[in-house]
Each structure stands twice: as structure tokens, then as C-alpha cells.
Amino acid sequence: MEDQINTEVSEHLEFKNRIDVSELQEAVHNIKQQLKKVIVGQKDMMDLLIVALLANGHVLIEGVPGVAKTITAKLLSKTMDVDFSRIQFTPDLMPSDILGTSVFNAKTSDFEFKKGPIFSSMILIDEINRAPAKTQAALFEVMEEKQVTIDGETYKMKEPFIVLATQNPIEQEGTYRLPEAQLDRFLFKINIEYPTADEELEIIIREQALVNADKIEKIEAIITGEKIEQYRALVNQINLEDNLLKYIANIVVNTRSNSFLYLGASPRASIAILKASKAFAAIEGRDFVTPEDIKRAAIPVLQHRVIVTPEREMEGLSSKQIIEQIIEAVEIPR
């Protein structure tokens, strides 16, 4: 009898979410398991890509050649039953090569709009800094407003719509630096590091075992576009208390008054941290945001939106280190 009473009490005291995120959490776990069939390590990159997907944001992936930037983006698209386009940016690429162009139809004696590769749900832009400024600028409207305006006509993108772009931070010859307005449209910037010695060995072992098999064929589709839309709506309902909203604002405002930074973050960064922290909470199975979720979101959201002063840059300080200092200096709400 006493055991039964104790069981009833423990069940009563057991914490339950107001919003059920168990299905979302299971889907995220299954996506990660699919990616791990091919990708070794890179846990943070996987988490950030999935969070960006749930937070309805675009991602800039930066890393030296050969660290699985492109393959990871392609694998992520394979885990979803959505349309996928890959665009290789080159110096001679024109805006019409991305957006599409009007073509004269002799049968109807009229012009018809032929959609470009941007009209897809998931877009992989490889080497985004290889194309000139006019081609990069063609992405401004579609990344922010999810629409394209051609010849006075507006064409809406089909949801879900996410852009994953890659760039090489080392090689500068034949590249065009992304302007701040372009960078600000990316929810996250993910910096990919080299694998550890153990991870490097695992990569070689897996490649040896493949023989003639195609690694991408191992990946199965886990979720549909409709499910992603449902999960995004669920993430928007995640609770975030007023004192945590103030915490986000304080972090972002401090980037504007920091003497080490030439340019601080815009209000778009505050909104990005808000959305990303909710998604981080959801993939951890919670319906509420904690200060740790905000800290986890702050660096990938802010590091590409601020500019370090030339003096501090010459001293070897990076934007990530300065943002870490700002986060440590801002008081955590109790």
C-alpha cells in the first residue's frame, strides 16, 4: 500500500511539458543517426544545422577544403523529403543563372518565366564568395523575404525554404567578400574545425570499407516538408520568460558599445538568438528556454554580424573571443 502511495506521489510530482515536443525530439535524433552513418564527429555542426532548420534560418558554413562542408549539406537534404538544388558559385555566374529568366515562346508570341535553381526547398550554394557582388546581391530578397521579383512579377518560395552556403576562409584569390548586409541574412555562421586523430582514423576506416559503394545512398528520408512546418510552429510556442528576453537584449546591445568591436549586431541578431534558443530548448525536450540555450545560440548568431577593430584584429583577437567575453560580462538572470 505504501509503495502504491509513493508511486502515485512521484507520478504527481513528475515534470511534464505544457507543449509536447517528444515527436520533434525523436525526429531530430533520427536525422542525427542518418548523418552519423557518413559524418564522423562534427556534433556541433549537426546540432546547429538542425536548429537552423527548426528556427527557419539560413546557414553559412566556413571551413578549409575537405572537412565535409558540402557533403553534410547534401546529406541533410537527403534526410528530408523536399526539393533540393545545388548551385556552384563561380566568377562568371550571373543573377539570371540563379533566379531564372524570361524566355520568348514562339508558339504563344509571349515571354515565359523559366525558374532558376533557387526555386527549391533546400538550396546548397557552394563557395558563395566565388561569385561577384551583383550575383551575391541577387540573394538579398529571396533570403530575407522568401520571394523573387522578376520583370515586375513576384514569385513566392515554397516552404520550407533554407539556404546552406559554404565558403573557404583561407583562399582569397578569385573571391569576393560577402557584404555585411548579406552576412546578416544568415541565422548562423558555423566554423568547421579539423577532426581529431581518432576521428581522422575512423574516416579512413569507413572509406576503406566502402569499396565501390556510394556513401550518400545510405541516407534515408526521415521527415517531410509538412512536418518541418509543424515543428517550426511548435518551436515558436516554446516559452521564454521576460527576464530572458532582457538577457538577450543586453548581450546584443553590449556588442554595440564594446570598444573592441567596430560594428555591433543589429536587432535582427536579437530575433535570431530568440528563435535559435527556442529551437535548442525543443531539441533537448524542453518547452522553455534556459540561459544556457541563449549562450549556446549567441556565438554562431553573432560572430559573423560584428566587426573587430583593426587594432584588436592585429593582436589576434577574433569576434568569437570578444563575444564570449561579452556573454561572461552580462549578468545571468536568476
Side-chain angles (χ1 to χ4, degrees):
M1 182 68 180
E2 186 178 343
D3 291 341
Q4 185 180 353
I5 293 170
N6 289 336
T7 303
E8 289 175 357
V9 169
S10 63
E11 286 177 354
H12 178 71
L13 293 174
E14 186 181 350
F15 170 78
K16 288 186 179 179
N17 286 335
R18 292 179 303 105
I19 303 166
D20 185 10
V21 293
S22 57
E23 184 187 329
L24 180 151
Q25 196 179 17
E26 184 181 356
V28 168
H29 172 75
N30 291 337
I31 290 172
K32 287 181 182 178
Q33 291 305 114
Q34 291 297 315
L35 294 177
K36 286 176 183 177
K37 287 181 180 179
V38 177
I39 303 299
V40 177
Q42 306 293 4
K43 179 184 179 298
D44 287 342
M45 178 176 65
M46 291 183 198
D47 286 345
L48 289 169
L49 285 172
I50 293 169
V51 164
L53 184 70
L54 296 173
N56 199 4
H58 311 295
V59 179
L60 177 63
I61 308 170
E62 185 173 278
V64 296
V67 289
K69 300 187 299 295
T70 302
I71 192 72
T72 303
K74 289 175 75 173
L75 293 173
L76 182 64
S77 72
K78 286 274 288 182
T79 65
M80 295 176 285
D81 188 16
V82 296
D83 296 332
F84 172 74
S85 289
R86 180 179 185 269
I87 310 172
Q88 179 68 55
F89 269 30
T90 56
D92 61 346
L93 196 72
M94 300 295 288
S96 58
D97 296 328
I98 302 167
L99 305 179
T101 187
S102 294
V103 178
F104 184 73
N105 188 326
K107 290 182 180 178
T108 60
S109 298
D110 203 356
F111 283 92
E112 288 182 0
F113 178 63
K114 296 293 184 183
K115 293 180 177 180
I118 199 71
F119 285 87
S120 197
S121 288
M122 179 167 279
I123 318 296
L124 168 60
I125 298 177
D126 229 352
E127 302 278 5
I128 190 171
N129 56 342
R130 288 277 171 203
K134 64 180 179 182
T135 305
Q136 292 176 7
L139 299 170
F140 278 25
E141 181 185 11
V142 71
M143 286 181 67
E144 180 63 22
E145 301 172 47
K146 300 190 176 178
Q147 65 180 36
V148 171
T149 305
I150 304 284
D151 296 333
E153 290 287 330
T154 299
Y155 303 88
K156 294 283 185 182
M157 294 294 126
K158 182 184 175 183
E159 292 287 0
F161 177 75
I162 181 172
V163 174
L164 304 176
T166 70
Q167 71 175 15
N168 175 0
I170 304 300
E171 192 177 2
Q172 301 303 320
E173 187 178 346
T175 63
Y176 303 82
R177 185 178 178 275
L178 294 178
E180 275 62 48
Q182 179 78 64
L183 290 169
D184 203 34
R185 281 162 167 77
F186 286 102
L187 177 76
F188 289 149
K189 179 185 176 187
I190 304 174
N191 292 321
I192 303 183
E193 305 294 337
Y194 282 121
T196 63
D198 289 340
E199 289 170 348
E200 189 91 19
L201 178 60
E202 179 64 23
I203 291 167
I204 298 169
I205 291 170
R206 288 191 186 187
E207 193 66 29
Q208 172 72 3
L210 274 174
V211 191
N212 295 321
D214 184 354
K215 61 181 78 173
I216 296 180
E217 287 181 359
K218 294 182 176 182
I219 307 300
E220 300 170 11
I222 299 298
I223 53 174
T224 61
E226 291 74 21
K227 275 293 180 186
I228 294 168
E229 286 298 289
Q230 290 176 25
Y231 293 154
R232 284 177 174 179
L234 201 63
V235 166
N236 286 334
Q237 298 173 40
I238 299 292
N239 184 50
L240 202 149
E241 294 180 358
D242 290 345
N243 61 343
L244 293 180
L245 291 173
K246 189 174 180 181
Y247 182 50
I248 294 172
N250 286 340
I251 290 172
V252 174
V253 168
N254 269 270
T255 66
R256 300 169 196 164
S257 57
N258 191 287
S259 61
F260 290 1
L261 296 175
Y262 172 73
L263 177 73
S266 70
R268 189 184 277 147
S270 300
I271 296 168
I273 295 174
L274 170 73
K275 291 180 176 180
S277 60
K278 286 184 176 184
F280 272 119
I283 68 172
E284 294 296 333
R286 287 183 273 105
D287 70 344
F288 60 92
V289 172
T290 67
E292 287 305 313
D293 296 323
I294 294 170
K295 284 183 177 182
R296 199 174 173 190
I299 291 174
V301 165
L302 294 173
Q303 65 181 350
H304 61 292
R305 287 182 160 94
V306 299
I307 299 177
V308 182
T309 60
E311 297 81 14
R312 299 305 173 189
E313 199 168 20
M314 287 175 67
E315 291 173 6
L317 267 181
S318 66
S319 59
K320 180 181 177 182
Q321 290 171 317
I322 296 169
I323 292 162
E324 286 172 344
Q325 290 172 9
I326 290 170
I327 293 169
E328 288 301 314
V330 176
E331 185 180 355
I332 300 171
R334 304 296 178 191

